[in-house]
Amino acid sequence: MSTAEFSHRAIIFITLALTPLVVWLLFDVVLMVTGAVLIAVLLHLVAWPFRKIRLPRALALAVAGFLILIVLLGVFYLFGSGMGNEFQEIMSRAEAGQKQLTQMLQGSTFGKTVLSHVQQGTFSLPDLFARAFRISASFLAGAAIAIVAGAFIAVEPELYRQGLSLLFPQRYRGSADETLDYLAGALRLWTIGQLIDMAFVGVTIGVASWFVGLPSAYALGAIAGVAQFVPYIGSIVAFIPAALVATTIDWSTLAWTAIAYFLVHQFDGYVFMPIVQRRMVSVPPALMLVSIVALGEAFGITATIFAAPITVSIYVLVTKLYVRETLHEEVAVPGEAGVKALADERSSAAD
C-alpha cells in the first residue's frame, strides 16, 4: 500500500470515528436543521395547491406563509382568551387533583412507597409546566433561526440539494441525489400523516372529554393534539392532566376518562393510522419508541420533540444505503413514493 493510499484511508477512518462525537457536540444544530427542514416541508405542503395553478414558487410560498400566519392569528383570536382560561382551570384542577391523590396515597404503606419513588413526593404539575416553559424560552433564538432557515430552504431547495450533493465524489452523486430525494419524500409524507393524526386525536379527545363531563374539554383536546406530534410518548403525557382533572370530580369520572383515552388511542393506533400510513411513511413502532426514549435521555426534552423526524431520516438512510445498496436486498424505501411528486415539482418550477 502506498503512502498516499494509506493516508487517504486513515483520513476516512478518522472522519468516520469522529462523526458521532461531532454529532453529540453539535446536536443542538442538528435539532435546528431538523426544525428548519420541517418548516420548509410545511411551507411546500401549503404552497402545493398554488403551484398546481402555475403560480411562481416564490409567490406560492409567500401566500403559504401568509395563510399559515393568518390561521395561527385567527385561532389565537377566536380561542385565545377562552382557551387561556381553560388552561388555567386545568392547571388549578390538576394541582388540586395531585394533592388529593397524594393525600390518598399517604394513607397506606404502599402509597408512601410509591410517593417515595416519585421524586420523594415533591412532583408538581405546575412546576413541570414552568420548567418546560423556561426550557422552550431558552431555545427561542434557535426557533427563530430554524424559521428563517426553513424559509430560505423552501425558496431554493435545489441550491441546498446541489450543495450537499457536491460533498460526495462524482461517482456517488447519483446515489446521493436519489437518497436526498427519498429523504425529502419521506419527511413530506411523514409530516402529512402526522398533521392528520394530530387533528384526529385532538378532535376526538376533545369530544370524548366533553362527553365524559370533564371541564375545559377544548383545552384537553388541544393538549392531546399537540402532544401527538411525539408518537406514543405524547399520548401518555396528554393523559396526565386529564386524569388529574378527573380526580377532582369523582373516581367514576376518572375511570371513564381512562377508558375514553384508551379507546381513542387504540382506534388511532390500530385502525386510523394504518389507513393513513398506507400512503404515508410507516416506521416500526418499537424502533420509533426506543429512538424517542433514547434521544430524550441523551439530549433532553427538545430532542424528544424532534426524535420522530430524526428517526424517519435515519430509517430511510439505513434502508436505502445499507439494506438495499450494500446488502442488495429488495426492500421498499420510505419516501420512494414521494420522489415522483418532488420530480414533478422541480419540473414545474423549471417551466
Side-chain angles (χ1 to χ4, degrees):
M1 181 184 301
S2 65
T3 304
E5 186 177 357
F6 175 79
S7 301
H8 178 71
R9 293 188 178 184
I11 292 173
I12 293 176
F13 175 79
I14 294 172
T15 301
L16 292 176
L18 291 178
T19 296
L21 178 61
V22 173
V23 171
W24 179 276
L25 295 176
L26 300 179
F27 196 76
D28 287 345
V29 177
V30 174
L31 295 179
M32 281 192 292
V33 171
T34 303
V37 171
L38 291 179
I39 289 169
V41 169
L42 180 61
L43 286 171
H44 272 277
L45 288 176
V46 179
W48 180 78
F50 304 104
R51 298 288 292 136
K52 283 295 183 181
I53 60 175
R54 297 295 181 177
L55 277 184
R57 173 186 288 172
L59 180 58
L61 291 171
V63 173
F66 180 74
L67 286 178
I68 293 173
L69 180 62
I70 290 297
V71 169
L72 293 176
L73 292 177
V75 170
F76 180 79
Y77 176 77
L78 293 175
F79 303 104
S81 59
M83 193 73 75
N85 294 332
E86 290 196 3
F87 276 118
Q88 289 180 356
E89 183 177 3
I90 288 176
M91 292 293 294
S92 61
R93 282 181 172 270
E95 187 172 10
Q98 177 193 327
K99 291 179 180 178
Q100 181 178 339
L101 186 61
T102 301
Q103 291 174 358
M104 183 194 71
L105 291 174
Q106 286 176 343
S108 65
T109 304
F110 175 76
K112 291 179 180 179
T113 303
V114 172
L115 289 177
S116 66
H117 286 83
V118 183
Q119 299 181 355
Q120 289 75 44
T122 59
F123 173 79
S124 172
L125 187 67
D127 291 343
L128 176 63
F129 276 97
R131 288 196 299 270
F133 177 77
R134 287 196 294 270
I135 291 173
S136 62
S138 67
F139 282 94
L140 186 60
I145 293 173
I147 292 172
V148 174
F152 283 129
I153 294 173
V155 171
E156 294 183 304
E158 289 300 316
L159 174 65
Y160 301 97
R161 178 176 175 273
Q162 292 173 3
L164 287 174
S165 179
L166 289 175
L167 297 177
F168 296 89
Q170 184 70 41
R171 64 181 181 276
Y172 295 129
R173 285 180 189 170
S175 177
D177 288 339
E178 186 180 55
T179 303
L180 291 173
D181 286 342
Y182 283 13
L183 279 174
L187 288 175
R188 176 196 292 257
L189 295 176
W190 178 85
T191 302
I192 295 173
Q194 204 63 27
L195 291 175
I196 294 173
D197 188 40
M198 291 168 64
F200 173 77
V201 170
V203 171
T204 51
I205 287 294
V207 172
S209 300
W210 172 83
F211 186 77
V212 168
L214 293 178
S216 308
Y218 293 134
L220 290 173
I223 291 173
V226 173
Q228 197 65 19
F229 185 79
V230 182
Y232 311 113
I233 303 295
S235 59
I236 299 174
V237 172
F239 173 69
I240 295 175
L244 292 176
V245 169
T247 303
T248 63
I249 302 175
D250 53 51
W251 293 110
S252 64
T253 303
L254 175 60
W256 281 113
T257 300
I259 292 172
Y261 270 70
F262 176 78
L263 292 178
V264 167
H265 287 292
Q266 288 297 302
F267 182 84
D268 175 65
Y270 289 102
V271 179
F272 183 76
M273 278 310 291
I275 295 175
V276 173
Q277 288 174 345
R278 289 175 187 173
R279 299 184 62 86
M280 303 303 165
V281 173
S282 177
V283 176
L287 175 62
M288 180 66 76
L289 180 59
V290 171
S291 177
I292 292 172
V293 173
L295 288 174
E297 286 292 326
F299 301 105
I301 188 172
T302 308
T304 302
I305 296 173
F306 290 103
I310 292 174
T311 303
V312 170
S313 301
I314 295 174
Y315 187 67
V316 171
L317 292 174
V318 172
T319 304
K320 182 180 184 299
L321 298 179
Y322 180 68
V323 179
R324 177 183 285 186
E325 296 188 359
T326 303
L327 301 181
H328 304 290
E329 297 286 345
E330 294 295 330
V331 295
V333 179
E336 193 170 5
V339 172
K340 184 178 184 301
L342 293 172
D344 293 341
E345 184 176 333
R346 282 198 291 268
S347 64
S348 62
D351 295 339

